[in-house]
Amino acid sequence: MNLPKEYLQTICQQAIAEDVATGDATTLAIVPPNLHTSAEFVNRQQCVCAGMPLLEILFKELCSDLELDCLVEEGQLCEPGTVMAKVEGNARAILTGERTALNFLQRLCGIATLTRKYVLSLGESNCKVLDTRKTTPGMRLLEKYAVKMGGGQNHRIGLYDRIMIKDNHRELAKLLGPDSISLAVKACREKYPEREIEVEADNLDEVKAAAEAGVEYILLDNMSAQTMLEAIEIIAGRAKTEASGNITLQRMPSLSRLGLDFVSIGALTHSAPAIDIGLDIKK
């Protein structure tokens, strides 16, 4: 997944403006304007690296002379105490950008690290881990990028790149007639013939209706393992299957044995704990 440079510049500029506003009062009062220094990003706990391309742009936005040296690869597992990157240049700019840089890095590494745990929990299964649209507003591309760095895959990026007929869509589609799933699928095919279609199914009757409507994906929402097995049998290869809802790390090994194509997990982006990373000034 590529992160457009213009997007990264915009999000860095917004973050700097939010934190700095009229100026970093403490740093401006204490640190001489021409002082040169270096600092190291060091993780205090095991993590998967994600976010270095953003940090490079962030520090250039603060001072064009700042140099960031990334010492680990994106997606690399870093043991505690790893020097992940070094930044060198104007001391005022480094201190001003410290918290913003750490906020981004801790958040993205947290998502990548949690994603890796879910991916590993599937073992040798062919089932893939997906993210969702449950992301921080304004940070979706960054957070989905972090999922990729953790070994997961991206579901649709937004409302525009895949049709997904959810429960509320089905309720409103009943205005079209009693067979709401087939009618909704037909309407979507006519309006957007090039788009893939996914239907969220809450029970086996809806699974059957979705499979018969010829959709590409069927989301099995909040189903037990036994119900998902029955759903997979009904679908019989006519659509890709995705489990979602109440997906925990503890459930993943059992889900890996059902024959699912995907498992989508909102917690990857809405509940990933931040990684403890520090920025240490080198004297």
Side-chain angles (χ1 to χ4, degrees):
M1 179 182 184
N2 293 323
L3 292 172
K5 184 177 180 180
E6 296 78 11
Y7 166 78
L8 295 178
Q9 287 176 325
T10 298
I11 203 166
C12 286
Q13 290 165 0
Q14 291 172 340
I16 291 168
E18 176 183 63
D19 200 34
V20 179
T22 58
D24 177 358
T26 310
T27 297
L28 291 173
I30 296 173
V31 180
N34 297 318
L35 183 64
H36 186 282
T37 193
S38 64
E40 296 176 343
F41 286 92
V42 182
N43 60 310
R44 318 298 190 200
Q45 62 188 112
Q46 187 185 71
C47 70
V48 174
C49 177
M52 290 299 172
L54 180 70
L55 261 58
E56 291 185 67
I57 290 179
L58 175 72
F59 282 117
K60 288 297 183 184
E61 288 290 329
L62 288 161
C63 177
S64 60
D65 293 333
L66 286 181
E67 294 294 335
L68 182 74
D69 184 13
C70 303
L71 304 177
V72 296
E73 299 290 331
E74 292 287 270
Q76 178 179 330
L77 182 65
C78 303
E79 295 300 327
T82 299
V83 179
M84 302 176 72
K86 294 181 181 180
V87 61
E88 185 172 354
N90 182 269
R92 280 186 173 182
I94 291 174
L95 285 184
T96 297
E98 174 182 0
R99 176 41 54 195
T100 300
L102 287 172
N103 284 347
F104 279 130
L105 192 60
Q106 290 174 325
R107 172 74 176 145
L108 298 182
C109 288
I111 291 171
T113 302
L114 182 60
T115 300
R116 183 177 187 271
K117 291 179 181 179
Y118 273 91
V119 170
L120 291 178
S121 71
L122 287 171
E124 299 299 319
S125 171
N126 291 324
C127 184
K128 306 299 181 184
V129 168
L130 297 177
D131 54 22
T132 70
R133 287 171 46 243
K134 296 175 182 177
T135 55
T136 307
M139 289 187 61
R140 178 167 297 172
L141 290 184
L142 284 175
E143 293 179 349
K144 283 181 170 283
Y145 167 83
V147 168
K148 292 281 286 186
M149 294 304 101
Q153 295 186 5
N154 297 143
H155 204 281
R156 58 179 180 164
I157 302 300
L159 295 170
Y160 56 89
D161 56 340
R162 179 187 293 182
I163 289 170
M164 188 166 181
I165 302 170
K166 297 174 68 66
D167 52 355
N168 285 334
H169 294 111
R170 295 197 311 269
E171 284 301 311
L172 293 175
K174 289 178 181 177
L175 296 172
L176 303 174
D179 193 359
S180 62
I181 289 179
S182 64
L183 290 172
V185 170
K186 181 181 179 182
C188 292
R189 290 279 187 224
E190 291 175 353
K191 180 73 172 179
Y192 299 102
E194 77 285 1
R195 302 278 205 283
E196 291 185 314
I197 298 177
E198 181 165 8
V199 168
E200 178 185 271
D202 296 333
N203 55 58
L204 295 178
D205 287 338
E206 292 171 354
V207 168
K208 182 179 179 181
E212 291 176 349
V215 300
E216 284 79 17
Y217 302 89
I218 300 176
L219 186 149
L220 309 177
D221 190 38
N222 282 294
M223 292 185 181
S224 67
Q226 180 58 41
T227 303
M228 282 191 275
L229 279 174
E230 294 177 43
I232 292 169
E233 185 174 346
I234 290 170
I235 295 166
R238 288 178 286 177
K240 298 288 187 182
T241 55
E242 173 188 339
S244 188
N246 193 30
I247 305 296
T248 63
L249 273 171
Q250 291 71 29
R251 287 189 71 194
M252 292 294 282
S254 62
L255 294 178
S256 71
R257 299 187 288 269
L258 299 181
L260 293 160
D261 296 296
F262 305 102
V263 178
S264 59
I265 303 134
L268 299 182
T269 50
H270 72 57
S271 295
I275 297 297
D276 186 4
I277 301 172
L279 182 67
D280 300 332
I281 293 288
K282 307 307 291 182
K283 295 182 181 179

